[in-house]
């Protein structure tokens, strides 16, 4: 219901100098009073009517929020994706709200006091693993940051979700650094694998970035976190891996549903996406002149899984089991996304780990 | 040509690949086994031509075949290097949780607390870890501490985590009753502005994060939490705007947005975004808490003010650090402030909807008398904003800004500085 | 429990309330020294907040109160009105929150010579509001 034009006119004449009040003539409301739902007042509750209509394409090149009234003189603020399908995922609102609800503090939510001195080889292995994780986790913070300006404000849900991911990754960087320095150890060696993840930052397309980062890389890390409890030596470590896995699961979930959305709305991009996955599935390091040796991370994991250096054979078997789980969960996610054909095209390094397809 | 062993699996080798194997003296047996594992022929040919040694290929293929068979007896760990166990990093560190738990800042002990003036590594090497040669760079562009440091970054990071809140469930939304039409519209207009500011901040910080090298993880972590803060601010103000069915208003003129976006260094960006823009935004949140119509709005503005005041704190501490380390940049900083203040005021003057929305909210309605009261109160808010801004700059080491401030702001400053 | 205001005992009593209150803890860490100035009664205090708890209060000189991170300065009647409102409504109503009172006063209620430290009033505002709101559980006797 608009404000009475007579009142507005009178105010313009008699009110404080320079009054315009023209914006009050615009009735941009839904007229619907909202109610919090079972999860409180979530984005799903508020995005109704025109506000909830996520445009398939947009010419908005400013910071106008979706549903606000445009000004003809507003300057452009840079180019961004103008098509919803290029960035969208159907679960993005849910994931954002979940991220807000499930924040945790590495300072106070981890029972650090449960960490007791460990045998030297085990502590070193844990510290090496933490060195690797504190190193690589923030690639997944830098990458979304890089893409923030390219997501149009009309698709603010995607921006909001990526902002939560940046926060999650900082927390991971932080918690693994804390673990490395909490039990008489320290940081160890830089990873030789980590920089291979630079391909994430090299991505020239949002879907390319998401496929590589969310679906592949974070998928592998999420599987690792989930099995991290296997190698956890105390309640603190179990909690760290559990909470990190929880965070990572959201990122993976976004990636899978975004990929699904792309394949449903832009099916001609299937081969393109296979190409991106080809690139990331190539082994992280391959030096033709040296035998393919395990990385420091792999060795650390073998020691942890085997309960110490003496148990490395058992640790190796468990590492292979972890790899198998990682590869199969990756394949399952691709199937959910609609890329079941990846099974035949997966890199030979991973294919031996694949279980037979489910019928 | 090497002799074919009798146990070679029956896989057909394409002629071209066979030719490559022969030329490079690569056993056909290995070629067949690699193909059986699913290696694409062109891929295999390329690796043979690149000089892959047969014994290397044998080790790899054997491991893959063992994995395929899944026979635990065959799974023996390869020879381990374990050199990483003996790298010369500081060992024996045992940081204990304090009253605020195990905080990021408390990890800065010994060499882990050596924060160099210039970070020499282009990789993601964590500070204190041992670098290995040959690791490719990550493309950072900020390696000097003075370009981003603030002494309070680690503390602000933990504070941001500790003081998290959840708009969906922490805000007592049910306490929001229907407001008179003009108040609802005005609130929607103001919320629209707040949403825009949040979107902008998220993009700007996101753009700069990947440029910051890893040696200053405290700053990266703080900025990551700040990104969460802006997401929450966008969310909560959009929710408020839509809650009563009033809707969003007009977008802002956007002039000041460009000033923030156009900044060419992180210091300039932080100055404009955190010290100028967020400082005045904080004043508006303060005003919002004042005219809030219900407990929900009170909480929204109070928590939003908390979040943005951390960003102001970072910006001020960074500015202070810059001026201490590079006093020669004082004139440069004033130039940035000159431009930002001017553009901010130009934006304020052009943004009639926001100004008028504030008049309505501060005055409590649309009558002539109420608008008059609103105008007086707005002047009071602006005075408070200008004085708080000046006092902040004084703390950061720019007391002379009092005399250089844009005249529109300077007129609000008290003659002599007194406590608040 | 009846406690006189203003007094160290009063602030200590509120301290006990918030320190045993999980909701206060959940708001998050709070690190600030807050001066309390009731200059027309020449009563000054400093209340210290650290991490998840209020550490306590002590009576101080005016200068010491003004040296805190920031100090809350109101005349006695102002304090009485605020705390009476809190008691009546089990928490400050819309017109009596700390921030509102601060803006109502042209010189501000939250004061500091230090523009950075004064911002702690904003950074931990919810915690301070909760602290004073908790006093509704006390039986405050205003000392005339």
């Amino acid at each position: 219901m608009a404000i009475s034009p007579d009142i507005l006119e009178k105010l313009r004449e008699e009110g404080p100098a320079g009054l315009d009040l023209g914006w009050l003539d615009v009735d941009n409301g839904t007229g619907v009073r909202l109610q919090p739902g079972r999860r409180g007042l979530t984005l799903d509750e508020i995005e109704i009517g025109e506000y909830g209509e996520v445009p398939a394409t947009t010419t908005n090149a400013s910071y106008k929020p979706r549903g606000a009234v445009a000004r003809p003189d507003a300057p452009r603020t840079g180019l961004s994706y103008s098509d919803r399908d290029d960035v969208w995922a159907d679960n993005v609102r849910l994931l954002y709200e979940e991220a807000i609800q499930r924040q945790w503090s590495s300072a106070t939510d981890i029972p650090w006091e449960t960490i007791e001195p460990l045998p030297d080889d085990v502590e070193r292995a844990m510290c090496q693993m933490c060195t690797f994780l504190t190193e690589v986790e923030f690639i997944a913070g830098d990458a979304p940051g890089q893409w923030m300006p390219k997501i149009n404000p009309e698709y603010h849900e995607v921006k909001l979700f990526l902002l939560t991911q940046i926060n999650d990754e900082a927390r991971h960087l932080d918690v693994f650094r804390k673990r490395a320095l909490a039990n008489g150890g320290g940081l160890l060696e830089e990873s030789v694998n980590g920089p291979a993840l630079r391909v994430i930052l090299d991505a020239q397309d949002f879907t390319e970035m998401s496929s590589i980062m969310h679906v592949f890389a974070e998928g592998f890390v999420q599987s690792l976190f989930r099995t991290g409890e296997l190698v956890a030596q105390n309640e603190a470590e179990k909690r760290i891996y559990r909470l990190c896995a929880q965070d990572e699961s959201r990122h993976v979930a976004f990636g899978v549903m975004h990929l699904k959305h792309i394949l449903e709305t832009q099916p001609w991009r299937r081969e393109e996406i296979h190409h991106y996955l080809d690139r990331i599935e190539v082994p992280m390091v391959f030096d033709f002149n040296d035998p393919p040796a395990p990385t420091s991370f792999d060795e650390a994991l073998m020691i942890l899984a085997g309960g110490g250096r003496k148990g490395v054979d058992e640790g190796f078997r468990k590492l292979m089991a972890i790899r198998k789980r990682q590869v199969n969960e990756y394949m399952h996610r691709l199937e959910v996304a609609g890329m079941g054909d990846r099974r035949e095209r997966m890199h030979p390094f991973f294919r031996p780990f694949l279980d037979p397809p489910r019928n | 040509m090497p002799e074919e062993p009798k146990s070679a699996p029956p896989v057909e080798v394409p002629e071209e690949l066979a030719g490559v194997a022969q030329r490079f003296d690569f056993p056909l047996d290995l070629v067949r086994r690699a193909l059986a594992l699913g290696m694409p022929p062109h891929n295999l040919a390329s690796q043979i031509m690149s000089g892959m040694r047969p014994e290397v290929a044998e080790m790899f293929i054997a491991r893959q075949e063992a994995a395929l068979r899944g026979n635990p007896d065959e799974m023996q760990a390869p020879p381990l290097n374990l050199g990483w166990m003996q790298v010369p990093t500081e060992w024996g560190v045992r940081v204990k949780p304090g009253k605020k738990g195990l905080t990021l800042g408390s990890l800065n002990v010994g060499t882990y607390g050596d924060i160099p003036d210039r970070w020499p590594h282009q990789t993601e090497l964590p500070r204190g870890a041992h670098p290995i040669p040959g690791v490719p760079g990550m493309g950072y562009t900020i390696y000097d501490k003075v370009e981003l440091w603030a002494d309070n970054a680690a503390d602000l990071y933990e504070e941001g985590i500790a003081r998290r809140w959840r708009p969906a469930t922490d805000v007592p939304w049910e306490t929001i009753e229907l407001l008179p039409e003009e108040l609802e519209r005005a609130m929607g207009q103001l919320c629209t502005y707040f949403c825009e500011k949040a979107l902008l901040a998220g993009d700007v910080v996101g753009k700069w994060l990947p440029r910051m090298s890893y040696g200053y993880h405290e700053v990266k972590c703080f900025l990551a939490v700040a990104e969460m803060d802006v997401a929450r601010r966008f969310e909560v103000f959009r929710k408020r705007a839509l809650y009563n069915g009033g809707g969003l208003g007009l977008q802002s003129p956007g002039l000041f947005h460009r000033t923030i976006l156009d900044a060419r260094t992180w210091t300039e960006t932080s100055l404009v975004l955190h010290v100028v823009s967020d400082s005045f935004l904080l004043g508006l949140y303060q005003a919002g808490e004042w005219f809030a119509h219900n407990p929900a709005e009170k909480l929204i503005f109070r928590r939003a003010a908390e979040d943005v005041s951390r960003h102001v704190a970072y910006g001020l501490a960074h500015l202070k650090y810059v001026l201490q380390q590079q006093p020669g940049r004082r004139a440069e900083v004033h130039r940035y402030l000159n431009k930002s203040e001017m553009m901010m005021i130009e934006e304020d003057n052009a943004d009639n909807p926001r100004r008028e929305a504030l008049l309505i909210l501060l005055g409590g309605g649309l009558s002539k008398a109420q608008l008059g009261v609103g105008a007086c109160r707005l002047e009071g808010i602006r005075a408070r904003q200008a004085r708080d801004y000046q006092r902040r700059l004084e703390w950061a080491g720019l007391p002379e800004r009092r005399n250089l401030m844009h005249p529109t702001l300077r007129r609000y400053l008290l003659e002599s500085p007194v406590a608040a | 429990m009846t406690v006189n205001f203003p007094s160290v005992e009063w602030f200590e009593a509120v301290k006990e309330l918030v320190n045993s209150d999980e909701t206060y803890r959940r708001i998050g860490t709070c690190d600030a020294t807050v001066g309390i100035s009731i200059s027309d009664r020449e009563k000054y205090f400093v209340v210290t907040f650290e991490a998840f708890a209020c550490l306590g209060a002590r009576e101080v000189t005016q200068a010491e109160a003004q040296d805190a991170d920031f100090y809350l300065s109101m005349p006695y009647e102002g304090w009485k009105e605020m705390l009476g409102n809190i008691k009546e409504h089990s928490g400050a109503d819309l017109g009596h929150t700390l921030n509102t009172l601060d803006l109502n006063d042209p010189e501000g209620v939250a004061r500091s010579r230090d523009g950075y430290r004064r911002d702690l009033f904003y950074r931990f505002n919810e915690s301070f509001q909760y602290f004073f709101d908790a006093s509704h559980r006390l039986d405050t006797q205003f000392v005339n």
Side-chain angles (χ1 to χ4, degrees):
Chain A
M1 186 173 67
I3 311 282
S4 163
D6 294 334
I7 292 177
L8 296 180
E9 194 50 46
K10 195 158 185 240
L11 284 166
R12 287 181 192 114
E13 288 167 11
E14 301 174 9
L19 270 186
D20 177 350
L21 300 174
W23 55 280
L24 284 170
D25 288 334
V26 177
D27 188 352
N28 204 30
T30 61
V32 176
R33 282 201 72 207
L34 303 176
Q35 287 294 323
R38 283 184 302 118
R39 295 190 187 87
L41 189 73
T42 65
L43 291 179
D44 275 334
E45 259 90 34
I46 70 165
E47 301 291 355
I48 61 169
E50 286 185 17
Y51 290 97
E53 288 173 15
V54 184
T57 189
T58 179
T59 54
N60 181 13
S62 67
Y63 277 106
K64 180 186 80 67
R66 189 171 74 227
V69 178
R71 289 179 71 115
D73 57 344
R76 291 191 164 198
T77 49
L79 295 173
S80 59
Y81 279 102
S82 55
D83 290 333
R84 175 195 61 211
D85 292 337
D86 284 323
V87 302
W88 193 252
D90 287 337
N91 59 356
V92 69
R93 287 180 193 156
L94 183 88
L95 290 174
Y96 169 75
E97 292 285 359
E98 192 178 300
I100 293 283
Q101 288 294 324
R102 300 183 83 82
Q103 291 299 300
W104 52 281
S105 164
S106 66
T108 53
D109 291 332
I110 306 299
W112 295 105
E113 70 284 356
T114 62
I115 300 179
E116 292 184 356
L118 295 170
D120 187 68
D121 56 343
V122 174
E123 182 63 30
R124 284 182 191 268
M126 179 57 77
C127 288
Q128 179 57 57
M129 190 147 136
C130 291
T131 304
F132 170 79
L133 289 170
T134 192
E135 176 186 339
V136 303
E137 280 295 291
F138 209 70
I139 278 198
D142 282 342
Q146 208 175 24
W147 287 91
M148 283 299 300
K150 297 174 190 169
I151 313 289
N152 196 287
E154 296 289 326
Y155 315 125
H156 60 254
E157 292 93 335
V158 178
K159 278 171 141 11
L160 295 181
F161 171 74
L162 293 179
L163 290 169
T164 67
Q165 179 172 353
I166 294 171
N167 185 56
D168 289 343
E169 304 300 351
R171 196 169 44 223
H172 298 172
L173 177 170
D174 149 45
V175 78
F176 290 112
R177 188 177 180 89
K178 283 173 177 170
R179 174 51 191 90
L181 299 178
N183 200 30
L187 293 178
L188 288 172
E189 190 176 80
E190 181 177 24
S191 163
V192 69
N193 277 0
L197 296 171
R198 201 181 82 172
V199 68
I200 295 171
L201 295 174
D202 294 341
Q204 297 295 307
D205 172 78
F206 183 81
T207 301
E208 178 186 356
M209 180 275 295
S210 179
S211 313
I212 292 173
M213 182 177 73
H214 292 129
V215 180
F216 179 84
E218 293 204 87
F220 269 66
V221 171
Q222 191 249 28
S223 300
L224 177 66
F225 285 161
R226 284 173 53 211
T227 52
E229 283 188 303
L230 183 75
V231 304
Q233 306 290 315
N234 45 65
E235 185 55 37
E237 288 163 10
K238 281 196 182 297
R239 185 86 58 88
I240 288 171
Y241 284 117
R242 196 157 57 234
L243 291 172
C244 286
Q246 184 179 269
D247 294 343
E248 218 78 348
S249 297
R250 289 192 297 274
H251 311 161
V252 172
F254 173 83
V256 169
M257 295 311 282
H258 169 65
L259 184 55
K260 183 169 196 283
H261 186 84
I262 284 287
L263 291 172
E264 285 171 354
T265 56
Q266 300 177 4
W268 58 87
R269 297 185 67 185
R270 181 176 291 271
E271 282 307 308
E272 173 198 337
I273 292 163
H274 273 301
H275 169 71
Y276 299 145
L277 296 177
D278 287 342
R279 283 184 68 207
I280 190 65
E281 287 174 10
V282 168
M284 304 297 185
V285 166
F286 197 85
D287 186 330
F288 297 125
N289 296 315
D290 281 324
T295 62
S296 55
F297 178 77
D298 286 347
E299 292 187 349
L301 201 47
M302 279 190 257
I303 291 172
L304 288 168
R309 274 180 72 171
K310 289 184 179 161
V312 285
D313 283 339
E314 173 64 15
F316 177 69
R317 283 190 279 279
K318 285 183 177 169
L319 175 63
M320 290 298 106
I322 290 169
R323 285 278 141 76
K324 196 167 150 59
R325 176 189 286 270
Q326 286 175 316
V327 172
N328 280 290
E329 287 179 350
Y330 167 57
M331 188 63 235
H332 175 64
R333 288 180 191 117
L334 289 172
E335 283 164 352
V336 167
M339 280 201 82
D341 53 335
R342 189 72 195 159
R343 178 175 288 277
E344 302 311 316
R345 300 175 63 159
M346 196 174 290
H347 197 281
F349 287 134
F350 297 121
R351 221 179 307 161
F353 294 101
L354 280 172
D355 288 333
R358 297 171 230 204
N359 291 317
Chain B
M1 185 184 285
E3 193 175 331
E4 291 184 29
K6 291 173 189 167
S7 59
V11 172
E12 191 179 327
V13 180
E15 197 177 309
E16 196 176 324
L17 177 58
V20 167
Q22 183 178 24
R23 268 205 314 281
F24 287 85
D25 250 348
F26 198 87
L28 259 187
D29 163 53
L30 284 179
V31 171
R32 288 205 180 93
R33 286 164 68 191
L35 292 176
L37 284 173
M39 173 84 81
H42 67 276
N43 202 311
L44 182 55
S46 155
Q47 292 193 8
I48 292 171
M49 286 190 287
S50 299
M52 179 168 61
R53 301 196 325 256
E55 58 270 30
V56 170
E58 165 68 45
M59 283 180 65
F60 173 75
I61 289 168
R63 197 185 305 165
Q64 296 291 91
E65 289 168 341
L68 201 60
R69 285 190 288 274
N71 182 351
D73 293 332
E74 284 191 90
M75 290 193 195
Q76 283 190 322
L80 301 184
N81 180 319
L82 300 182
W84 50 270
M85 281 192 162
Q86 304 304 327
V87 294
T89 56
E90 186 175 346
W91 192 252
V93 178
R94 195 183 299 275
V95 181
K96 289 289 187 202
K99 287 184 180 179
K100 288 191 272 192
L102 188 61
T103 60
L104 189 63
S106 68
L107 303 181
N108 289 345
V109 295
T111 55
Y112 298 103
D114 288 342
I115 304 168
D117 287 339
R118 182 168 174 85
W119 183 245
H121 303 282
Q122 296 183 19
T123 67
E124 285 194 303
L125 175 78
R127 198 170 69 224
H130 182 70
I132 56 179
V135 174
M138 297 298 286
Y140 304 121
T141 57
I142 297 178
Y143 293 94
D144 289 317
K145 186 178 178 184
V146 73
E147 290 192 67
L148 49 52
W149 189 253
D151 287 336
N152 57 8
D155 288 344
L156 289 175
Y157 163 72
E158 293 286 5
E159 190 179 303
I161 297 264
R163 296 188 75 84
R164 59 194 180 278
W165 54 290
R166 305 166 175 88
T169 49
D170 289 349
V171 175
W173 295 101
E174 67 286 354
T175 65
I176 299 178
E177 294 180 352
L178 271 177
L179 297 175
E181 183 75 20
E182 64 272 17
L183 288 177
E184 190 61 41
R185 293 280 194 83
M187 182 63 83
Q189 180 59 52
L190 196 61
C191 288
T192 304
Y193 174 71
F194 293 146
C195 285
E196 278 189 69
K197 297 291 277 186
L199 285 173
L200 170 66
D203 280 2
V204 166
V205 171
K207 178 181 85 171
W208 281 96
L209 261 175
R211 303 183 194 187
M212 298 173 178
S213 60
Y214 237 54
Y216 311 110
H217 59 261
E218 295 90 340
V219 175
K220 286 177 88 93
C221 282
F222 163 70
L223 291 174
V225 156
E227 291 286 72
M228 184 71 144
D229 292 343
V230 302
R232 202 165 39 215
R233 274 161 40 201
F234 177 90
E235 173 207 342
V236 80
F237 287 115
R238 186 174 177 86
K239 284 178 176 176
R240 175 56 193 92
L242 299 182
Y243 187 77
N244 265 347
L248 295 178
L250 251 76
Q251 73 175 125
S252 71
L255 307 170
F256 194 40
H257 296 344
R258 287 294 298 266
T259 308
I260 298 170
L261 288 167
D262 293 346
R264 293 296 183 143
T265 65
W266 174 249
T267 296
E268 183 187 351
T269 303
S270 174
L271 196 61
V272 183
L273 177 64
H274 297 136
V275 177
V276 181
S277 178
D278 280 347
S279 182
F280 283 80
L281 189 61
L282 178 53
L284 285 183
Y285 288 157
Q286 238 198 316
E289 203 270 1
W290 183 87
F291 62 64
H293 308 94
N294 46 65
E297 288 169 4
K298 281 278 188 204
L299 187 72
I300 288 169
F301 282 113
R302 198 179 303 145
R303 296 313 297 258
E306 284 194 357
D307 291 353
V308 86
S309 64
R310 284 192 297 275
H311 308 175
V312 173
Y314 164 80
L316 289 174
H318 174 54
L319 174 59
K320 188 173 187 139
Y321 187 80
V322 169
L323 293 174
Q324 284 170 343
Q325 300 298 313
Q326 296 180 333
R329 294 183 70 185
R330 188 172 288 271
E332 175 197 339
V333 167
H334 281 301
R335 288 287 289 269
Y336 297 145
L337 292 176
N338 289 346
K339 179 183 170 189
S340 340
E341 288 167 13
M342 183 182 73
M343 293 311 298
M344 182 180 67
I345 286 157
E346 195 171 317
E347 167 102 17
D348 284 354
N349 290 340
D351 198 351
N352 267 344
R354 173 163 49 104
R355 184 175 70 90
E356 292 170 1
L358 282 167
L359 294 183
I360 292 170
L361 289 164
L362 287 166
L366 200 49
S367 74
K368 185 177 160 193
Q370 286 168 320
L371 288 173
V373 167
C376 288
R377 288 179 177 156
L378 184 55
E379 275 296 282
I381 295 295
R382 288 192 167 139
R384 178 65 70 92
Q385 286 174 310
R387 289 173 200 159
D388 285 349
Y389 170 63
Q390 183 270 320
R391 277 193 283 267
R392 289 173 186 134
L393 290 174
E394 194 174 309
W395 176 86
L398 275 178
E400 71 275 19
R401 190 69 198 163
R402 160 183 285 276
N403 302 317
L404 299 172
M405 205 175 283
H406 192 286
T408 301
L409 300 175
R410 193 164 70 235
R411 67 189 172 96
Y412 293 115
L413 301 183
L414 299 171
E415 278 305 313
S416 53
V418 294
Chain C
M1 167 186 183
T2 301
V3 200
N4 288 341
F5 181 90
S7 69
V8 169
E9 291 70 34
W10 189 90
F11 289 102
E12 287 286 327
V14 180
K15 177 197 91 173
E16 292 304 320
L17 289 172
V18 298
N19 285 351
S20 57
D21 188 339
E22 182 56 31
T23 303
Y24 176 78
R25 187 186 169 82
R26 262 208 310 276
I27 295 172
T29 55
C30 174
D31 296 280
T33 56
V34 180
I36 306 290
S37 170
I38 312 166
S39 56
D40 58 341
R41 294 297 169 96
E42 292 185 332
K43 281 287 189 183
Y44 308 98
F45 306 88
V46 165
V47 184
T48 303
F49 297 85
E50 186 181 280
F52 294 98
C54 173
L55 295 189
R58 55 192 176 94
E59 190 158 355
V60 298
T61 64
Q62 183 179 36
E64 285 172 313
Q66 291 181 352
D67 271 344
D69 287 329
F70 65 90
Y71 61 101
L72 299 172
S73 177
M74 284 192 286
Y76 177 73
E77 287 302 319
W79 285 101
K80 196 172 167 185
E81 184 185 331
M82 181 184 83
L83 295 175
N85 178 272
I86 285 172
K87 180 70 176 177
E88 184 185 344
H89 298 101
S90 302
D93 72 1
L94 299 183
H96 289 87
T97 57
L98 290 169
N99 175 74
T100 293
L101 295 173
D102 178 64
L103 280 184
N104 278 344
D105 185 335
E107 288 185 32
V109 164
R111 304 177 184 186
S112 178
R113 289 192 184 89
D114 185 314
Y116 177 85
R117 289 160 73 200
R118 185 183 174 277
D119 282 347
L120 298 183
F121 175 65
Y122 304 125
R123 276 180 39 202
F124 305 119
N125 197 260
E126 181 68 9
S127 297
F128 303 136
Q129 190 61 56
Y130 196 89
F131 180 86
F132 284 101
D133 281 352
S135 71
H136 83 269
R137 288 186 259 166
L138 298 179
D139 217 343
T140 300
Q141 179 109 348
F142 292 98
V143 178
N144 286 316

